[in-house]
């Protein structure tokens, strides 16, 4: 399995959070806190206004968080689809290693979700997904930034997620 599949699986399952530094008191909130996907994962929504997305993500948990090269990663996610997601849905996936773009592609969502044991159509309603992914031991150390913007076949947003994951030496 390659790295971009593993990182994509982390994002898709919901289909290194920055903690706020408070210099002026305890009740400050920064924007990233509002964008944080509930649960124990590095996932964030891409933008405010995500409440209008077709997929409402209840939570995503990664075990372990952060992921460790050469170890299994358990992804547990729950969400609610406001409507069916049919064939023709697509995602725009980008993976960067530092400033270097490794992946920048548009892919058919229904082809990709087979990797996490799902199939189209994704029916309206609650979904719970648990998937174990074996991460390769040879992941180069560094910071990876992953984003997935997911749309219906008629270009309505299903969800948009980003994550930053740092693999240590």
């Amino acid at each position: 399995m390659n790295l971009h599949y593993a990182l994509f699986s982390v994002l898709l399952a919901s289909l290194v959070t920055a903690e706020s530094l408070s210099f002026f008191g305890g009740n400050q909130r920064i924007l990233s806190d509002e964008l944080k996907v509930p649960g124990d994962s590095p996932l964030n929504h891409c933008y405010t206004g995500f409440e209008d997305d077709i997929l409402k993500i209840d939570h995503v948990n990664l075990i372990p968080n952060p992921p460790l090269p050469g170890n299994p990663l358990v992804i547990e996610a729950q969400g609610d689809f406001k409507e069916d997601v049919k064939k023709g849905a697509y995602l725009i996936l980008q993976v960067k290693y530092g400033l270097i773009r490794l992946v920048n592609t548009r892919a058919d969502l229904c082809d990709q979700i087979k990797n996490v044991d799902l199939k189209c159509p994704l029916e309206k309603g609650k979904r719970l997904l648990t998937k174990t992914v074996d991460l390769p031991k040879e992941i180069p150390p560094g910071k990876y930034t992953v984003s997935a913007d997911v749309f219906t076949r008629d270009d309505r947003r299903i969800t948009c997620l980003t994550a930053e994951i740092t693999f240590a030496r």
Side-chain angles (χ1 to χ4, degrees):
M1 172 184 5
N2 61 32
L3 174 64
H4 106 262
Y5 166 71
L7 294 173
F8 172 73
S9 295
V10 170
L11 286 172
L12 187 60
S14 61
L15 92 113
V16 182
T17 268
E19 292 296 322
S20 94
L21 294 174
S22 177
F23 296 107
F24 303 107
N27 56 357
Q28 258 185 324
R29 267 185 98 182
I30 61 172
L31 187 57
S32 65
D33 288 340
E34 295 171 16
L35 297 178
K36 170 91 173 82
V37 171
D40 187 18
S41 82
L43 293 174
N44 288 293
H45 295 279
C46 298
Y47 53 87
T48 58
F50 58 85
E51 299 84 7
D52 296 329
D53 289 354
I54 292 171
L55 174 60
K56 178 192 175 288
I57 300 171
D58 296 329
H59 69 269
V60 177
N61 295 317
L62 301 184
I63 303 166
N65 183 29
L68 300 171
N71 289 300
L73 172 65
V74 178
I75 306 161
E76 192 266 333
Q78 184 170 322
D80 190 6
F81 287 94
K82 296 177 185 173
E83 62 185 70
D84 290 354
V85 175
K86 299 176 182 167
K87 287 190 182 279
Y90 64 95
L91 70 129
I92 298 169
L93 177 67
Q94 187 174 89
V95 179
K96 290 182 180 180
Y97 175 68
L99 298 174
I100 301 167
R101 189 176 303 159
L102 299 175
V103 176
N104 189 29
T105 190
R106 177 179 165 147
D108 182 276
L109 180 67
C110 294
D111 289 343
Q112 296 300 313
I113 64 174
K114 294 172 188 172
N115 294 324
V116 290
D117 304 325
L118 295 174
K119 63 181 181 174
C120 282
L122 293 167
E123 295 179 357
K124 176 182 177 177
K126 286 255 186 211
R127 285 230 179 235
L128 176 65
L129 173 88
T130 302
K131 177 74 177 175
T132 300
V133 177
D134 291 322
L135 295 181
K137 189 175 188 176
E138 301 80 21
I139 298 174
K143 181 174 109 175
Y144 293 81
T145 305
V146 185
S147 67
D149 206 356
V150 188
F151 297 92
T152 64
R153 62 182 171 193
D154 57 346
D155 299 321
R156 291 179 299 116
R157 181 167 273 123
I158 297 170
T159 193
C160 183
L161 300 172
T162 66
E164 285 186 2
I165 302 170
T166 301
F167 290 100
R169 290 189 183 264

